Amino acid sequence: MSEAMMVSPPQLRLLGQFRLELGTETVELCRNGQRLLAFMGLRGRVSRTVLAGTLWPEVTEEHARGSLRTTLWKLPRGEPPLIVCCGDSLVVTPALRVDVHVLTRTALDVVEDCGPPSHTWPPLELLTGEDLLPGWDEEWVLVERERLRQLRLHALDTLAESLIRQGRTALGMEAAWAGVRAEPLRESAHRAIVSAHLAEGNISEAVRHYEAFRRLLHQELGVAPSSRFARMLPERLSERTAPRNRDLARRDCLRAWFR
């Protein structure tokens, strides 16, 4: 193994396509090797029984444990080893850098601290990056992917609100639009966009965005935006919008009654 590979910590990238980097080199792994390292990278420490049963659920326990031993043997060897045995458990080396954990820490920092200080650059690039292992459809991947998606959305909401309060409305709107792109029907992201328009004094754009979201929500779900959203608009405009929303709701009730 080259000196560069020994000096640089190993990197495991799970956001986007799977990639294992040892130093300056990208290491190719078989599919089972990728699945094993991805699961271990996400969990950190796993019992052999749980690991074998999760990765090979459709075979006997004996066969699954045999597949696990074979896959472990095929992993690249180095110092420190990527995975070490600890009794009946397997543990990922602390030296392994996993991008999912960087995303998780960043998103939690944003949520817990209500956004970055005004002098720092917000972590938009990380919060708007790729999903976890796109194209992988195993249950444990789907669960973790949805967890990360929800964490990202909450972090983007918090970041947008914080930036707008700081007067950094353009960046706040970028964070809000990132949330809309990820989930077009997410009201909190649309509220942040309207809040940014209002902070800049662009009332017409705030109303236009509210109306566009109202139409989208009615078309897709047959419901109106929350009263909290409507109250964000100037009083006269919100009074004009509320009856319209009530009329839409009443019309839908009548349609349902006479079907």
Side-chain angles (χ1 to χ4, degrees), residues 14-15 38-39 41-43 100-101 103-104 131-133 138-151:
L14 303 178
L15 299 173
F39 191 85
L42 291 170
R43 300 295 180 88
V100 169
H101 300 324
L103 168 61
T104 300
D131 285 335
L132 174 71
L133 298 170
E138 295 172 80
E139 185 64 28
W140 57 272
V141 178
L142 299 178
V143 170
E144 190 67 17
R145 185 184 298 151
E146 179 61 17
R147 182 191 74 82
L148 288 171
R149 190 181 80 89
Q150 289 296 330
L151 180 57

Side-chain angles (χ1 to χ4, degrees), residues 5 30 78 108 123 134 145 186 198 222 246 259:
M5 291 176 66
C30 65
L108 287 175
R145 185 184 298 151
R186 188 175 178 83
L198 292 174
R246 287 196 298 270
R259 278 178 183 168

Side-chain angles (χ1 to χ4, degrees), residues 3 9-10 17 43 52 59 97 165 171 181 217 238:
E3 183 178 350
Q17 297 303 312
R43 300 295 180 88
V59 300
R97 302 291 183 261
R165 285 196 303 269
L171 289 175
R181 285 192 293 270
L217 202 60
S238 61

Side-chain angles (χ1 to χ4, degrees), residues 97-171:
R97 302 291 183 261
V98 185
D99 58 356
V100 169
H101 300 324
V102 176
L103 168 61
T104 300
R105 284 194 299 271
T106 301
L108 287 175
D109 285 345
V110 170
V111 171
E112 292 172 357
D113 298 336
C114 297
S118 58
H119 62 276
T120 63
W121 187 259
L124 275 175
E125 184 176 354
L126 183 58
L127 294 178
T128 57
E130 296 183 85
D131 285 335
L132 174 71
L133 298 170
W136 291 34
D137 59 0
E138 295 172 80
E139 185 64 28
W140 57 272
V141 178
L142 299 178
V143 170
E144 190 67 17
R145 185 184 298 151
E146 179 61 17
R147 182 191 74 82
L148 288 171
R149 190 181 80 89
Q150 289 296 330
L151 180 57
R152 267 177 160 162
L153 288 172
H154 281 92
L156 286 169
D157 285 348
T158 302
L159 182 61
E161 293 168 1
S162 175
L163 290 168
I164 293 167
R165 285 196 303 269
Q166 295 172 15
R168 305 161 79 185
T169 52
L171 289 175

